């Protein structure tokens, strides 16, 4: 997608890759599908387990349905009903847990052990990373050569996949990651050269609330990423509104990170260049969207 | 655009033509541009005048800027500031009038007479109709053969252009128009065989608040249209929400009419068929959108 106003505001030629228009509304479907389709037949029979209240859960549930693999999703008991319904709608079984009393990752591994199932990690896995990278491949195929690509940065799966896919085609493409101000675990980790863990960040970008880079994704970031920058919640909201008004696109807060960095001219050296921006998802509750839009 | 859920709900294969993604956010740009580009050089120098507080005004203003033609837009003094600003942003001069005290069409003709300018009619003109028809041409080019095309129906410009463009390629394509329940001037007129005038309809579909079919557009409807159906405001809102949740698209109430008719299975004989649906625009104030989404 292109937007003349976006180009003017960003001072660059922006090609937007709309993963909010992806199946189930986010790029997470790519990694989940690639992981599941890579499982040997024996592992498929045992089923898969994922822990997430967000897009990863739905990506796994949908990929599992398409491939005929039983899926169990571990979700907090206070997850929004609409997400529970959507996950059930894809045919997954849901295991609820009390957010205060138990740790979802442990529960997922317990469930997997009981059932002989495979846990599908949310980002720190080569198959997840490779799947996520197909978005950048398509972007470069559609938009032609780019000088830079900007991606929202949570656990780093999208950033890592984008890096490898883009640099496989053209080593000169500059990769930028964009984190929420409150959740700058990647920026801190890159600055000090090792993985830093931060408290759960308070941000409207619920998909970017990771507390630490993945082991694999951090190693890839150190080799491939030009810079990691941060944006405030107000800037994310501004980018969501821009997408609403000027592009007629619904974007969730996390999904707007790359756009926000471009609109605020947070990225040095991209002026006048051809820049790809990945909008990573559009799954947001109508009431919550209304609140962020109107407020 | 395609949506699996839309296909399931409508019981047909739907190809959505997204005119909310058109320049200035609505199909109206097409007719305005075609009208202006058809003006002889002498008329261009005199400039153009349009009366509208909606998408037609912005379409004329943008087309005029692109073609270097002076444009004057007659707008009510209580028009939303965002629309006044957008119209000014396209470089048009604005003439305000008091909605209670004067008639905008007369003012437009007075302004045109004073300045030697040409009035650009909102829909009832062959150049406007022909321009609007290019949306259907593109839809058929992108989506391949269709059994039917469904369009929002206000003054009838989009319906007329769609009819002629579609039937020029394939006379078997069935054309459906969709009006708001409160504003069924076309349905009434077709039923009794002559143009009926109704009071200004109360509907959330502000772009479809016409009180009577155009002379030209009515003549075209009688020859080409299979049926005109109506949808309620609640159904328009439901379609806007569907587009938000399932397609991540921002659609204005008028723009959702064709989708609403499909989601409510209001069109007979389209089951299992390949159906084109035109989403005519996406220009809506953020606060108003939030209200319709959340309420």
């Amino acid at each position: 997608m292109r937007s003349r106003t976006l180009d003017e505001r960003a001072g660059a030629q922006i090609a937007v890759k709309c993963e909010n228009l992806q199946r189930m509304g986010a790029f997470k479907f790519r990694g989940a599908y690639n992981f599941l389709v890579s499982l040997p037949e024996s592992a498929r029979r045992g089923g898969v387990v994922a822990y997430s209240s967000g897009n990863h859960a739905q990506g796994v549930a949908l990929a599992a349905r398409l491939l005929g693999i039983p899926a169990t999703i571990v979700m907090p008991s206070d997850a929004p009903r609409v997400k529970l319904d959507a996950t059930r709608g894809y045919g997954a079984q849901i295991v609820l847990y009390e957010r205060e009393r138990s740790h979802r990752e442990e529960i997922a591994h317990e469930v997997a052990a009981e059932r002989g199932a495979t846990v599908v990690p949310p980002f720190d896995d080569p198959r997840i990373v490779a799947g996520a990278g197909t978005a950048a491949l398509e972007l470069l195929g559609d938009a032609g050569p780019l000088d830079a690509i900007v991606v929202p940065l949570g656990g780093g799966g999208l950033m890592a996949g984008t890096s490898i896919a883009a640099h496989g085609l053209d080593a000169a493409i500059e990769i930028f990651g964009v984190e929420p101000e409150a959740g700058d675990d990647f920026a801190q980790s890159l600055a000090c050269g090792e993985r830093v863990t931060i408290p759960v960040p308070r941000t409207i970008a619920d998909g970017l609330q990771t507390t630490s880079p993945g082991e694999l994704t951090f190693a890839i970031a150190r080799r491939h990423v030009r810079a990691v920058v941060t944006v405030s919640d107000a800037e994310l909201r501004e980018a969501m509104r821009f997408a609403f008004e000027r592009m007629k696109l619904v974007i969730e807060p996390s999904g707007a990170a790359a756009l926000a960095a471009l609109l605020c001219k947070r990225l040095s050296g991209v002026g006048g260049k051809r820049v790809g921006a990945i909008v990573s998802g559009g799954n947001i509750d109508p009431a919550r969207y209304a609140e962020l839009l109107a407020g």
Side-chain angles (χ1 to χ4, degrees), chain A:
Chain A
M1 288 258 197
R2 302 292 312 268
S3 158
R4 284 171 184 81
T5 318
L6 176 60
D7 287 5
E8 280 165 27
R9 291 267 303 266
Q13 299 161 55
I14 317 295
V16 183
K17 176 64 173 169
C18 292
E19 289 295 292
N20 55 334
L21 306 180
Q22 179 57 259
R23 290 196 73 171
M24 58 66 50
F27 81 98
K28 286 282 187 179
F29 173 66
R30 297 177 181 269
Y33 190 90
N34 192 50
F35 187 100
L36 267 60
V37 85
S38 307
L39 288 177
E41 190 50 42
S42 57
R44 288 192 192 199
R45 275 193 300 271
V48 292
V49 180
Y51 48 93
S52 160
S53 54
N55 290 327
H56 179 59
Q58 295 193 42
V60 170
L62 174 57
R65 189 183 70 179
L66 294 174
L67 295 166
I69 298 175
T72 306
I73 311 293
V74 178
M75 296 178 89
S77 52
D78 62 353
R81 199 197 164 83
V82 57
K83 291 209 172 170
L84 293 171
D85 288 348
T87 308
R88 262 193 216 103
Y90 288 128
Q93 195 192 333
I94 294 177
V95 171
L96 295 175
Y97 71 97
E98 299 292 322
R99 207 190 276 269
E100 297 75 23
R101 296 220 302 242
S102 39
H103 194 281
R104 63 182 185 173
E105 198 169 339
E106 282 164 22
I107 297 172
H109 282 96
E110 279 167 29
V111 170
E114 275 166 25
R115 304 184 184 188
T118 305
V119 173
V120 187
F123 52 83
D124 207 26
D125 179 278
R127 291 158 288 187
I128 299 287
V129 166
T134 57
L137 271 188
E138 291 173 9
L139 172 60
L140 286 160
D142 290 344
L146 295 172
D147 301 305
I149 302 181
V150 193
V151 300
L153 180 48
L158 182 60
M159 177 277 305
T162 300
S163 295
I164 290 172
H167 288 169
L169 293 173
D170 177 357
I173 299 173
E174 296 188 330
I175 310 295
F176 292 91
V178 185
E179 288 183 306
E181 254 172 26
D184 65 341
D185 50 313
F186 252 103
Q188 287 189 35
S189 300
L190 287 170
C192 75
E194 59 181 26
R195 292 196 293 148
V196 166
T197 299
I198 61 170
V200 176
R202 293 176 68 96
T203 166
I204 60 170
D206 53 325
L208 307 179
Q209 285 179 307
T210 45
T211 55
S212 167
E215 195 176 332
L216 172 66
T217 58
F218 182 63
I220 293 172
R222 291 186 74 174
R223 279 192 53 188
H224 288 276
V225 168
R226 161 75 194 281
V228 169
V229 302
T230 64
V231 290
S232 69
D233 278 7
E235 288 162 346
L236 288 172
R237 204 158 144 168
E238 180 58 31
M240 289 173 66
R241 286 191 191 158
F242 180 89
F244 168 86
E245 290 195 12
R246 297 299 188 142
M247 304 180 75
K248 314 304 175 190
L249 290 176
V250 176
I251 305 184
E252 62 184 270
S254 307
L259 278 191
L262 284 163
L263 286 167
C264 301
K265 300 201 176 185
R266 203 56 53 79
L267 309 169
S268 64
V270 305
K273 301 281 181 66
R274 291 157 306 178
V275 180
I278 300 185
V279 163
S280 56
N283 290 327
I284 179 168
D285 187 69
R288 177 70 174 139
Y289 189 77
E291 194 186 322
L292 291 173
L293 202 61

